[in-house]
Amino acid sequence: MRQAGRSLPEYHQVRGEGSILQAIAEPDRAAEISLQPVNRYGVDAAILFSDIMVPAHAIGFGVDIEPGVGPVCASPFSSSADLARVRPFEPSSDAPYVADTVKLLVDELKIPLIGFAGAPFTVASYLIEGRPSRNYERTKSLMYNEPKLWHELMQRLADVAIASLRSQIEAGASALQLFDSWAGALNEADYREFVFPHSNRVLQGCAEFGVPRIIFGVHTGELLSCFGELDAEVVGIDWRVPLDEATRRIGPNRAVQGNLDPTVLFGPWERIAQCADDVLRRGSSAPGHIFNLGHGVLPSHDPEVLTRLVEHVHAWSP
Amino acid sequence: MRQAGRSLPEYHQVRGEGSILQAIAEPDRAAEISLQPVNRYGVDAAILFSDIMVPAHAIGFGVDIEPGVGPVCASPFSSSADLARVRPFEPSSDAPYVADTVKLLVDELKIPLIGFAGAPFTVASYLIEGRPSRNYERTKSLMYNEPKLWHELMQRLADVAIASLRSQIEAGASALQLFDSWAGALNEADYREFVFPHSNRVLQGCAEFGVPRIIFGVHTGELLSCFGELDAEVVGIDWRVPLDEATRRIGPNRAVQGNLDPTVLFGPWERIAQCADDVLRRGSSAPGHIFNLGHGVLPSHDPEVLTRLVEHVHAWSP
């Protein structure tokens, strides 16, 4: 239940009004925030409190997270001159607080910690658009018109993601999730040509640790057969594709994660239970299923409902 | 090529800086704007210059179109008390300018004119959220928690769409398009339960005229088999699902419309031609294919490229 903290009163108390990047940069505070949903809900894994834009911020690209908006860049990436601004990411010197937070958490937790990174396409889209986008027109324009520059940028962002994930695993994270949140803006042909090799290199760059690797995006129904070819153990599924159909597209050798519609949690309990049961039933057609929401928790979600959902899933038997 | 006008200099000259709702309400101006892309590009059909929120605005719900944002409502729909604000739409007295524009256009045009309306779900989402939304949480919350109120609202919005479409056809439009732009926020089960019957009633309410009926939305890959059950002749497809696969999901008795990614038009011509050819080739597997973009034209599109694309498609042979 990614972003499960932001619906919690104890989160807002610890987070305060300051920048989220500042909160992430303080290991004690970031660890406390990571633990809050674990303590509250009794979930089976924790996810690091961080942001996919932390490395880009840490190497000085000029990224901020604007409240109510998302990642913004004062000076977006637009030409080869900007490549120099995407320099290699050195976790131990650029953002040592991430590994420090991981270490604090691993000492404290009795359950696995999931580390994560933004996939090259999704991070690139923020750097190029300069803010969250509906049509990704600058991103795709660069991709189509300057493929050489595109692949250079993607290679650099893949290196950034690899460095970030490796340092989290070395600090003790026992699974990783690669967020390609906006890959669903692409059709399969474009995904294969412009994105797949880079995301796959990130996943392969973490293979030697033997930890489960999860790939995730939304609107990815038409990309699932590609996702099934990525070097990952688990494919995250939003709420649009039922898990039995998702498994048909992905192939029989991947576990799935998801896929309850987060907004169902605003409905009456009978509907929530019914939808959760349906997800669990269909998920059993995959070789493995990690129950989860199909996207992040929303700030307006009711913690009582999330608690009840976790209890319901834990009590479920086929 | 819906919204093809907004990338044209002649459009901005005629439109000026005022409200789009004002421009729509002036038949001479709205007709001139509708004709601009026809004259410029030589496309095979015209689409009325209007907006899916015109009827809701005309019955006094309190809707405006904010430049750069989209439809906004100062006082969104939130309870049964708001039902009275969604009164029946009487095209001839509430918005006579729409039929007047259609008549002017039909007199002028040598090609068919497509009329259109917003589908109940998409219009409801604007009325309930009060502005464009990413998660549709208020919409889905009302849908799940107050199904009776939801269906009452949808019935009223279906009646509004029927009245609007019938008046456009009676004024001379020779095809209709029902825009359910945001239906792809729903999974198939929710679409069937909460939306399908209402959209289908709109389509059936225009059946007697014998004009082609087109249903369209984005992110609808998982809804295509439902769309194939709607009482429509044509299913619009965004750029994510290739047309041969779309036809497999829809079934063999529907024509398709679409599905070139609008952002491909920012790329080099060789790629545009290649992608257009692929769309045309795959579209030939359906019983009929109307070549189009997979979504609207963007303001930043280059009219020269659109001209060349139309010529290319007209010259294409299998």
Side-chain angles (χ1 to χ4, degrees):
Chain A
M1 286 184 179
R2 185 165 53 95
Q3 301 180 310
R6 60 182 180 169
S7 70
L8 295 177
E10 60 264 35
Y11 168 75
H12 293 283
Q13 205 178 336
V14 174
R15 238 304 251 118
E17 294 297 312
S19 158
I20 190 170
L21 291 170
Q22 184 53 43
I24 289 167
E26 295 171 23
D28 285 336
R29 194 140 70 113
E32 185 180 351
I33 291 172
S34 305
L35 291 170
Q36 286 173 341
V38 175
N39 295 334
R40 172 79 88 135
Y41 299 127
V43 285
D44 303 308
I47 188 154
L48 183 68
F49 175 70
S50 189
D51 190 276
I52 63 166
M53 299 310 286
V54 161
H57 170 72
I59 61 175
F61 185 85
V63 178
D64 202 0
I65 315 273
E66 204 174 290
V69 176
V72 293
C73 307
S75 175
F77 186 100
S78 66
S79 74
S80 57
D82 295 312
L83 271 182
R85 297 167 61 205
V86 189
R87 65 157 174 84
F89 174 55
E90 301 289 352
S92 62
S93 50
D94 290 324
Y97 45 84
V98 175
D100 290 346
T101 305
V102 170
K103 285 176 199 154
L104 286 175
L105 281 167
V106 171
D107 281 349
E108 189 80 15
L109 284 165
K110 292 178 181 65
I111 54 175
L113 176 70
I114 306 169
F116 71 89
F121 174 78
T122 292
V123 175
S125 79
Y126 285 122
L127 300 189
I128 296 168
E129 304 287 339
R131 56 194 302 108
S133 171
R134 192 178 272 266
N135 298 307
Y136 303 94
E137 55 191 274
R138 290 179 188 183
T139 308
K140 292 190 186 176
S141 184
L142 194 146
M143 190 172 94
Y144 295 135
N145 288 304
E146 302 185 70
K148 191 166 165 289
L149 177 58
W150 171 262
H151 287 294
E152 278 177 20
L153 172 61
M154 291 290 277
Q155 264 164 33
R156 288 182 184 226
L157 292 175
D159 288 336
V160 167
I162 291 169
S164 172
L165 289 169
R166 290 182 67 94
S167 77
Q168 293 175 58
I169 300 166
E170 282 162 357
S174 46
L176 68 87
Q177 185 150 349
L178 186 63
F179 283 102
D180 211 353
S181 310
W182 311 135
L186 301 171
N187 63 21
E188 185 182 349
D190 284 349
Y191 181 82
R192 282 193 188 275
E193 180 175 351
F194 295 109
V195 178
F196 180 94
H198 305 287
S199 283
N200 210 31
R201 195 163 68 81
V202 175
L203 294 161
Q204 286 169 340
C206 304
E208 70 192 78
F209 297 104
V211 305
R213 293 161 295 171
I214 310 163
I215 176 79
F216 176 78
V218 291
H219 295 306
T220 57
E222 309 310 318
L223 303 180
L224 292 180
S225 69
C226 289
F227 277 17
E229 295 169 30
L230 287 168
D231 199 8
E233 285 71 28
V234 187
V235 179
I237 312 286
D238 76 5
W239 62 92
R240 291 175 183 84
V241 188
L243 290 180
D244 44 358
E245 171 62 15
T247 297
R248 195 188 65 72
R249 295 184 198 174
I250 295 166
N253 301 317
R254 297 288 185 276
V256 292
Q257 191 212 58
N259 75 336
L260 188 70
D261 184 347
T263 62
V264 166
L265 301 180
F266 296 117
W269 173 252
E270 296 66 35
R271 179 171 290 272
I272 300 170
Q274 199 179 47
C275 291
D277 289 351
D278 188 58
V279 165
L280 288 160
R281 249 192 316 270
R282 291 176 191 263
S284 62
S285 66
H289 172 216
I290 301 159
F291 183 91
N292 203 341
L293 303 183
H295 204 355
V297 171
L298 296 166
S300 50
H301 275 131
D302 179 354
E304 301 291 323
V305 173
L306 289 167
T307 301
R308 196 169 173 186
L309 176 63
V310 174
E311 287 168 4
H312 181 82
V313 172
H314 279 154
W316 188 80
S317 62
Chain B
M1 287 186 179
R2 186 163 52 92
Q3 301 181 311
R6 61 182 179 168
S7 69
L8 295 177
E10 58 266 34
Y11 168 75
H12 293 284
Q13 205 178 337
V14 173
R15 240 302 253 117
E17 293 297 311
S19 158
I20 190 169
L21 292 170
Q22 183 54 43
I24 290 167
E26 295 172 24
D28 285 336
R29 195 140 68 112
E32 185 181 352
I33 291 172
S34 304
L35 291 170
Q36 286 173 342
V38 176
N39 296 333
R40 172 80 87 134
Y41 299 126
V43 286
D44 303 308
I47 189 154
L48 183 67
F49 175 70
S50 189
D51 190 277
I52 63 166
M53 299 310 284
V54 161
H57 170 71
I59 61 174
F61 186 85
V63 178
D64 202 0
I65 315 272
E66 205 174 290
V69 176
V72 293
C73 307
S75 174
F77 186 101
S78 67
S79 74
S80 57
D82 295 312
L83 271 182
R85 297 166 62 204
V86 190
R87 66 158 174 85
F89 173 55
E90 302 289 353
S92 61
S93 51
D94 290 324
Y97 45 83
V98 176
D100 290 345
T101 306
V102 170
K103 284 176 200 154
L104 286 175
L105 282 167
V106 171
D107 281 349
E108 190 80 15
L109 285 165
K110 291 180 180 64
I111 54 174
L113 177 71
I114 306 169
F116 71 90
F121 174 79
T122 292
V123 175
S125 79
Y126 285 122
L127 301 189
I128 297 167
E129 304 288 337
R131 58 194 300 109
S133 170
R134 193 179 271 265
N135 299 306
Y136 303 94
E137 54 192 275
R138 288 178 189 183
T139 307
K140 291 189 185 176
S141 184
L142 193 145
M143 190 173 92
Y144 295 135
N145 289 303
E146 303 186 68
K148 190 165 166 291
L149 175 59
W150 171 263
H151 286 295
E152 279 176 19
L153 171 61
M154 292 290 276
Q155 264 163 33
R156 287 181 185 226
L157 292 175
D159 288 336
V160 166
I162 291 169
S164 172
L165 289 169
R166 290 182 66 94
S167 76
Q168 292 174 59
I169 300 167
E170 282 162 356
S174 47
L176 68 86
Q177 185 151 349
L178 186 63
F179 284 101
D180 211 353
S181 311
W182 311 134
L186 301 171
N187 63 21
E188 185 183 349
D190 284 349
Y191 180 81
R192 284 195 186 274
E193 180 175 351
F194 295 109
V195 177
F196 180 93
H198 305 289
S199 284
N200 210 30
R201 194 162 70 79
V202 174
L203 294 161
Q204 287 169 339
C206 303
E208 69 192 79
F209 297 104
V211 304
R213 293 161 294 172
I214 309 163
I215 177 79
F216 176 77
V218 290
H219 294 306
T220 56
E222 309 311 318
L223 303 181
L224 292 179
S225 69
C226 288
F227 276 17
E229 296 169 29
L230 286 168
D231 199 8
E233 285 71 27
V234 187
V235 178
I237 311 286
D238 77 6
W239 63 91
R240 291 175 182 84
V241 189
L243 289 181
D244 45 357
E245 171 63 15
T247 297
R248 196 188 63 74
R249 294 183 198 174
I250 294 165
N253 301 315
R254 296 287 185 276
V256 292
Q257 191 212 57
N259 73 338
L260 188 69
D261 184 346
T263 62
V264 166
L265 301 180
F266 296 117
W269 173 252
E270 296 65 35
R271 179 172 290 272
I272 300 170
Q274 197 179 48
C275 291
D277 290 350
D278 188 59
V279 165
L280 288 160
R281 248 191 318 271
R282 291 175 192 263
S284 63
S285 66
H289 173 216
I290 301 159
F291 183 91
N292 203 341
L293 303 182
H295 204 356
V297 171
L298 295 167
S300 50
H301 274 130
D302 178 354
E304 301 293 323
V305 174
L306 289 167
T307 301
R308 194 167 175 189
L309 176 63
V310 173
E311 286 167 4
H312 181 83
V313 172
H314 279 156
W316 188 79
S317 61

